[in-house]
Amino acid sequence: MTTSTMHKQQANALRALAMDAVQAANSGHPGAPMGMAEMAVALWGGPLRHNPANPAWPDRDRFVLSNGHASMLLYALLHLSGYELSLDELKRFRQLHSKTPGHPEQGLTPGVETTTGPLGQGLANAVGFALAERLLAAQFNRPGHRVVDHHSYVFLGDGCLMEGISHEACSLAGTLKLGKLIALYDANGISIDGPIEGWFADDTAARFESYGWRVLGPLDGHDVAALSQALAQARASEDRPTLIICRTTIGQGSPGRAGSAKVHGEPLGAAEIAATRAAMGWPHPPFEIPDGLRQAWDARERGAALEHDWQRRFAAYRSEHAQLAAEFERRVLRRELPPGFELLAFKTLAATAQRQDAVATRKASQQLLAALAPQLPELFGGSADLTASNLTDFPACGSVRPGDFGGRHLSYGVREFGMAAVMNGLALHGGLIPYGGTFLSFSDYSRNAIRMAALMKQQLIHVFTHDSIGLGEDGPTHQPVEQAESLRLIPGLEVWRPGDATETAAAWIAALQERERPSALLLSRQALPAQPRAPEQVVAIARGGYVLSERPAPRAVLLASGSELQLALAAQALLDGEGIAVRVVSLPSATRFERQEAAYRSAVLGPRTLPRIGVEAGSTRGWGRYGCAAALGLDRFGESAPAGLLFEQFGFTPDNLAALVRRTLAEEAF
């Protein structure tokens, strides 16, 4: 069999598995997998460096399927190349508890590097993978020793490039000259609504050239030899990322559906599958792959040899750079915090708790970074053009610049969504704990990427400053109202809104120790007074909620977070003078508090007979979860004025909160 004939048969094997699985599920997207089959042959049968026996081999190439609806292409590749993904799992495509869900899910299917589905985000994740490779190479590689040396590949479609995040991420990748990033664009010209020329007429090549990318093609996306040549050309030079434009036919091989929108998102049907088998010269029954083709696809032997070679090179590296090798193993292989971190964190928290000065929690965050970051080389920060406002830098952090990856802080530019998705790629890659900053009101730009981080259980930290009307004169466009509560609705996202420097330090430490979920820190622009605490209260901050100020026989409970913590304490003092005892509970993290055992939560909140009143400068919708009888909050947009005037205007004063407590007690008594 000639090479071209073998390539054709390898591609047809992918097409057959895709159309058979979609048909068995009576659900799915056969068109893109069938159209991208030769692209997959060229990459997966060519330069892609991976080991199916060890999907976590640290120096493997990363592959991302950004157009995740084409998931059956990836599942077929993983199955045929030797990953632990059985034929039975392909037959269970899109079924309950299978390892072949409708869109690829990281952590569920061996070999899937990132969860994709929301178009464009996989492309941005791939930028994060490529950036991580460059950062780690700068930190660990030494003359004669390249222990970090791999490429990041991404398949993407028209829809990925229509999404605005593609501009954010690809512009950044071009600026940073991420030369080991190679994207293959499946330019089939079809989306769900039909031929795209009526709504997507971009000159994609010119667009990417303007970003600083190398652009190859358009070329025939069904010509494996041409694709292989383009991949070799892309790999030969690492001065800029590469886009390979592949002209393909969606549903290639289907005589009645190829090139149509109909093949995009529905099964071919039994009759069309029979016609496709005949047209392809594929006589095999559903899900049957001849042994010769299985052997041609099997990558286990080559993968084992590639990893063995890397292990040999790493052993030589360890013999010359033992300390660096140990650090690599800690950060990349084991993903552990450094020895002594717990003691350092304890001392830093204890020292912060002794301070009495008023400080904005955004500033307290920067102070914490200054204390911990030198001992945490894996911590990599950035900001969406707001470094001086978010305070995400720290002394001697160094700045990443085009072609220079020795620093630990990146100016992402005004790219909130892109930053969040790139951070997801950094976290997924391993060896780094990324964090990035913007204003809390702009978390809405980032929201879907934040959601994806939570879905994938990735450790990263969003620093959201200017967390309320305390932002002041910039006005309602920048003043968050619903964002805090909205973020708390994302399953698996830890949301912190600390009330002073001590709670900020505790929040950062908790986020750094939380290995399987992202965190969001909501921080103030304005200075907040330090609150006195007993040592056991300092420890209790990590539980998300605790009694900060108790009174004998309290008649009500005030629940507060963030800048409103001082307000609750001031109202408590006013009520003391009237003989009305109230308990003040600090809730720096409602999401973490709700994960505590019921007995602890009950002890903090007190018996249900005590009226509970919530206070937070934002939406009041969430207080119902605690059975609050009343709440002081903000269910409308803010205004432009100095912060102090705004808090008074909207009733965030000790007198007003004390009056609310009195009214609530009167109503409860009635």
Side-chain angles (χ1 to χ4, degrees):
M1 186 182 296
T2 66
T3 300
S4 62
T5 300
M6 176 57 76
H7 287 163
K8 180 179 179 180
Q9 290 301 302
Q10 286 181 282
N12 285 342
L14 298 174
R15 291 189 177 97
L17 287 174
M19 66 183 184
D20 289 342
V22 172
Q23 185 67 23
N26 195 30
S27 172
H29 300 76
M34 296 173 73
M36 291 193 291
E38 282 83 8
M39 294 164 57
V41 172
L43 178 60
W44 284 68
L48 188 70
R49 300 171 67 253
H50 64 117
N51 182 9
N54 182 13
W57 167 37
D59 204 37
R60 69 193 181 279
D61 289 339
R62 268 53 170 190
F63 174 77
V64 175
L65 184 69
S66 187
N67 44 350
H69 56 272
S71 57
M72 262 312 304
L73 176 69
L74 180 53
Y75 299 149
L77 287 165
L78 293 170
H79 168 71
L80 291 172
S81 60
Y83 287 79
E84 288 190 14
L85 190 66
S86 69
L87 191 62
D88 285 340
E89 290 292 350
L90 270 60
K91 293 177 180 178
R92 297 179 62 231
F93 178 54
R94 289 190 162 217
Q95 303 308 300
L96 185 65
H97 302 317
S98 78
K99 292 183 179 180
T100 50
H103 291 80
E105 295 184 26
Q106 188 273 340
L108 176 65
T109 310
V112 172
E113 300 282 5
T114 180
T115 300
T116 55
L119 293 177
Q121 285 197 62
L123 175 55
N125 296 162
V127 173
F129 282 129
L131 175 58
E133 193 273 346
R134 292 291 77 199
L135 292 169
L136 294 176
Q139 292 179 22
F140 288 106
N141 289 352
R142 292 296 182 269
H145 298 279
R146 290 167 65 98
V147 294
V148 181
D149 185 16
H150 52 266
H151 285 77
S152 298
Y153 298 94
V154 55
F155 281 9
L156 61 129
D158 295 302
C160 293
L161 295 184
M162 292 185 217
E163 289 286 0
I165 191 174
S166 68
H167 167 69
E168 296 184 30
C170 294
S171 171
L172 180 64
T175 300
L176 293 177
K177 303 183 185 300
L178 297 178
K180 289 191 172 182
L181 173 62
I182 300 174
L184 288 83
Y185 167 29
D186 175 34
N188 63 44
I190 297 291
S191 65
I192 292 175
D193 282 354
I196 63 173
E197 59 262 21
W199 51 86
F200 186 57
D202 296 15
D203 185 338
T204 298
R207 173 184 163 189
F208 274 75
E209 285 169 352
S210 76
Y211 293 154
W213 286 55
R214 176 188 299 103
V215 177
L216 304 177
L219 52 83
D220 182 354
H222 302 299
D223 184 339
V224 174
L227 291 164
S228 298
Q229 184 178 359
L231 284 166
Q233 187 177 346
R235 289 172 52 84
S237 179
E238 297 179 0
D239 61 328
R240 50 186 168 152
T242 300
L243 177 73
I244 303 174
I245 302 176
C246 311
R247 296 289 189 205
T248 66
T249 300
I250 191 170
Q252 174 77 353
S254 170
R257 299 281 186 88
S260 72
K262 196 170 181 62
V263 77
H264 175 19
E266 61 182 62
L268 295 180
E272 185 62 21
I273 286 178
T276 303
R277 277 185 152 77
M280 294 193 309
W282 187 264
H284 313 292
F287 295 104
E288 182 176 304
I289 305 297
D291 289 343
L293 280 178
R294 285 194 172 277
Q295 291 171 8
W297 269 116
D298 195 330
R300 288 174 291 186
E301 183 176 344
R302 177 175 179 266
L306 287 169
E307 183 176 357
H308 177 75
D309 179 66
W310 180 82
Q311 294 284 5
R312 177 187 56 78
R313 290 187 287 112
F314 189 78
Y317 174 74
R318 184 190 291 112
S319 67
E320 287 193 34
H321 304 283
Q323 187 172 351
L324 276 175
E327 186 72 354
F328 183 92
E329 290 171 331
R330 175 187 72 80
R331 288 173 51 183
V332 179
L333 301 184
R334 300 195 303 273
R335 298 195 180 196
E336 296 175 350
L337 292 171
F341 173 79
E342 288 190 6
L343 179 59
L344 174 64
F346 173 80
K347 290 181 176 179
T348 302
L349 181 59
T352 305
Q354 295 302 311
R355 291 171 41 192
Q356 299 300 315
D357 54 319
V359 61
T361 54
R362 62 170 176 162
K363 184 62 179 178
S365 169
Q366 186 180 49
Q367 292 167 344
L368 185 283
L369 285 170
L372 295 188
Q375 306 304 317
L376 284 174
E378 59 264 53
L379 199 57
F380 180 77
S383 175
D385 201 48
L386 289 167
T387 301
S389 294
N390 301 146
L391 304 182
T392 52
D393 56 352
F394 54 90
C397 61
S399 296
V400 170
R401 290 292 183 263
D404 180 2
F405 300 97
R408 294 177 57 191
H409 189 275
L410 173 63
S411 294
Y412 283 92
V414 188
R415 300 181 177 102
E416 295 89 354
F417 191 8
M419 176 180 69
V422 167
M423 285 167 57
N424 288 351
L426 291 169
L428 286 159
H429 183 281
L432 298 163
I433 301 175
Y435 69 92
T438 189
F439 286 179
L440 177 57
S441 60
F442 302 151
S443 65
D444 290 334
Y445 281 133
S446 311
R447 185 179 180 85
N448 199 264
I450 299 170
R451 180 180 187 270
M452 296 303 291
L455 181 62
M456 294 187 285
K457 301 181 180 180
Q458 292 302 301
Q459 183 188 28
L460 51 90
I461 302 162
H462 289 278
V463 178
F464 293 125
T465 67
H466 299 61
D467 70 337
S468 72
I469 54 173
L471 182 151
E473 293 86 345
D474 274 341
T477 60
H478 286 50
Q479 293 166 1
V481 172
E482 75 280 14
Q483 280 78 11
E485 191 56 34
S486 176
L487 288 171
R488 292 174 184 135
L489 294 176
I490 298 177
L493 175 66
E494 204 84 289
V495 180
W496 290 88
R497 188 167 182 256
D500 66 358
T502 302
E503 289 191 351
T504 303
W508 257 110
I509 291 167
L512 291 168
Q513 293 175 324
E514 183 56 77
R515 309 299 282 177
E516 294 189 351
R517 67 182 67 221
S519 299
L521 311 184
L522 283 48
L523 307 175
S524 73
R525 177 196 186 196
Q526 72 275 27
L528 304 181
Q531 304 299 341
R533 293 176 181 84
E536 60 271 20
Q537 290 175 307
V538 175
V539 172
I541 297 171
R543 304 192 75 167
Y546 62 102
V547 178
L548 176 61
S549 183
E550 182 65 296
R551 294 292 185 268
R555 295 173 56 191
V557 180
L558 283 173
L559 311 176
S561 81
S563 52
E564 289 65 67
L565 186 58
Q566 59 179 318
L567 178 61
L569 292 166
Q572 181 193 50
L574 287 176
L575 293 166
D576 282 344
E578 303 172 23
I580 301 174
V582 298
R583 170 186 295 180
V584 173
V585 169
S586 178
L587 278 177
S589 177
T591 52
R592 178 167 281 223
F593 179 68
E594 287 159 18
R595 291 193 290 116
Q596 305 303 310
E597 64 273 17
Y600 177 79
R601 286 184 278 116
S602 178
V604 169
L605 296 174
R608 299 295 297 230
T609 54
L610 291 180
R612 299 168 185 171
I613 297 98
V615 54
E616 184 173 65
S619 171
T620 62
R621 297 291 179 90
W623 289 116
R625 69 170 68 93
Y626 301 115
C628 286
L632 176 59
L634 192 63
D635 290 312
R636 54 152 289 185
F637 294 118
E639 295 185 25
S640 180
L645 292 177
L646 288 174
F647 279 115
E648 185 174 351
Q649 167 72 20
F650 290 114
F652 291 97
T653 66
D655 285 337
N656 195 39
L657 182 55
L660 179 59
V661 173
R662 292 188 214 99
R663 288 196 304 272
T664 303
L665 288 172
E667 290 169 2
E668 293 287 318
F670 181 78

